[in-house]
Amino acid sequence: MNTLIGLLIIAIGSFGQSSSYVPINKVKDWSWESFWLVQGLFAWLIFPLLGSFLAMPSIGSLIDIWSSGGAIYSIIYGILWGIGGLTFGLSMRYLGVALGQSIALGTCSAFGTLLPAIFGGTNLFEGAGLILLIGVCITIAGISVIGYAGSLRAKNMTEEEKKAAIKDFALTKGLLVALLAGVMSACFNLGLNAGDAIKAKTIEMGASELFALNPVIMLVTFGGFITNAVYCLFQNAKNKTFNDYSKLPSGVFVNNILFCALAGILWYSQFFGLGVGQSYLKGSPVMLAFSWSILMSLNVIFSNFWGVILKEWKGCNNKTIIVLVIGILILIFSTFFPTLMNN
């Protein structure tokens, strides 16, 4: 039962993340770098900080918790992840929500799940390590099938249809950006693992295990914010778009802030849900190690759901839709595979 509860909580957070790019479509008259920075302010600083306060025990402070070890490494991994987060946004721009997230999250799933296991000395060719490896392979297979569906869609669409569905559609550039985004985004999970001592200290000081991962998440997202803020401010200066923040009618400005805030809290919900969900998976080391891959799989499933809603798959032939559905079914199976193998 605890496993199902944990999976449900992770799924709810995943749905929030996959929905986070929808409010951005409501942002008006801002350049990409401006809305990306503002939504990042909410997603990577404000809401993670609020989440950290939930974990702060009454007898200590966040500084006490963060000083227990690993904070610098979590921030460094966060800075590296920030590169992935930055290019992740660009992959949405060039490939759309469905295909962009599928490629980036597939790569992120593999590296983010296997690297911590390897660093922890897990043998991937026997026992629990083998289950983990096979599970990741199934996830990659499902995402690859969805990626193939995306390539079929591109072949069957005219240039006008591509531009109508995705304004800046560029398949080759988008694939390269999405792959880079996936590799670098995997650093987020490495950052979470680097903060194990912080999580343990949080629990030791009396905090609820449900929220014990939140202070570590804050460190990783802070590192990511640094990377993204530097790039976005550089682009503001280069493109002379600083006036996005000040020279708008007040109604438009308020609209943009509200939708950026909504995007931010939806994005943060995936890691808030991951931390809470993992507390229910602690009885199964394999499920706990595989939880990162589960989150990425669910993100792909829900992002393709939004891709359908946003009509990114409109006009595709039956073969493309069948391939897409097969890929999604494989991903759904991948989320339950470790549990089935443990029973």
Side-chain angles (χ1 to χ4, degrees):
M1 179 59 71
N2 279 349
T3 298
L4 290 177
I5 294 174
L7 289 175
L8 178 61
I9 292 172
I10 293 174
I12 293 172
S14 171
F15 183 76
Q17 187 278 338
S18 300
S19 306
S20 65
Y21 294 93
V22 178
I24 287 178
N25 291 328
K26 301 294 184 180
V27 175
K28 303 175 181 178
D29 302 324
W30 272 7
S31 62
W32 181 88
E33 59 268 18
S34 298
F35 74 69
W36 191 251
L37 178 60
V38 175
Q39 71 84 28
L41 182 67
F42 288 102
W44 307 323
L45 285 185
I46 295 175
F47 291 117
L49 182 60
L50 294 176
S52 295
F53 287 141
L54 287 176
M56 188 174 68
S58 58
I59 59 174
S61 67
L62 285 176
I63 300 300
D64 294 331
I65 294 172
W66 286 331
S67 63
S68 57
I72 296 298
Y73 290 105
S74 291
I75 293 174
I76 291 174
Y77 278 123
I79 291 172
L80 295 175
W81 162 77
I83 298 173
L86 185 62
T87 49
F88 192 83
L90 290 174
S91 70
M92 304 302 105
R93 179 178 178 180
Y94 295 135
L95 297 176
V97 173
L99 183 56
Q101 288 210 55
S102 297
I103 302 300
L105 292 176
T107 311
C108 180
S109 172
F111 282 88
T113 301
L114 296 180
L115 287 180
I118 293 172
F119 292 164
T122 301
N123 185 344
L124 297 179
F125 300 101
E126 65 178 24
L130 182 59
I131 294 175
L132 192 66
L133 179 60
I134 294 174
V136 169
C137 290
I138 295 173
T139 300
I140 294 174
I143 293 172
S144 298
V145 171
I146 291 176
Y148 176 59
S151 67
L152 290 177
R153 177 192 65 174
K155 290 179 181 178
N156 294 328
M157 294 173 70
T158 65
E159 288 301 318
E160 291 74 18
E161 288 173 331
K162 292 175 185 177
K163 296 297 183 182
I166 307 165
K167 183 179 178 181
D168 298 317
F169 184 85
L171 182 61
T172 302
K173 182 191 295 186
L175 288 174
L176 291 174
V177 170
L179 288 172
L180 175 62
V183 173
M184 300 308 291
S185 293
C187 290
F188 198 106
N189 202 30
L190 293 174
L192 295 181
N193 280 269
D196 281 345
I198 296 173
K199 180 180 178 180
K201 182 68 174 180
T202 304
I203 297 172
E204 180 186 320
M205 294 177 68
S208 170
E209 196 166 337
L210 292 174
F211 310 122
L213 191 62
N214 290 355
V216 185
I217 294 173
M218 171 68 206
L219 293 173
V220 181
T221 57
F222 173 69
F225 179 77
I226 292 173
T227 304
N228 282 264
V230 169
Y231 179 81
C232 289
L233 291 174
F234 170 77
Q235 289 297 315
N236 279 142
K238 177 183 176 182
N239 299 327
K240 297 181 172 58
T241 53
F242 278 112
N243 59 0
D244 284 346
Y245 309 113
S246 60
K247 293 184 178 180
L248 285 175
S250 58
V252 175
F253 183 82
V254 172
N255 172 86
N256 290 358
I257 292 295
L258 289 177
F259 279 111
C260 283
L262 178 58
I265 193 170
L266 287 173
W267 183 92
Y268 173 63
S269 67
Q270 67 178 313
F271 292 116
F272 185 87
L274 178 66
V276 176
Q278 283 183 343
S279 69
Y280 287 93
L281 301 178
K282 61 181 181 179
S284 173
V286 174
M287 287 298 295
L288 191 61
F290 197 63
S291 60
W292 177 263
S293 186
I294 290 173
L295 176 63
M296 296 302 108
S297 296
L298 291 170
N299 283 351
V300 172
I301 292 170
F302 290 129
S303 68
N304 279 280
F305 165 81
W306 278 113
V308 172
I309 297 297
L310 296 174
K311 299 181 179 180
E312 292 180 0
W313 295 95
K314 183 179 179 181
C316 294
N317 58 28
N318 290 336
K319 178 182 177 181
T320 302
I321 298 301
I322 291 172
V323 172
L324 173 64
V325 171
I326 290 174
I328 290 175
L329 291 176
I330 293 173
L331 285 181
I332 292 174
F333 172 71
S334 75
T335 63
F336 293 99
F337 173 77
T339 301
L340 295 174
M341 293 300 293
N342 277 336
N343 290 336

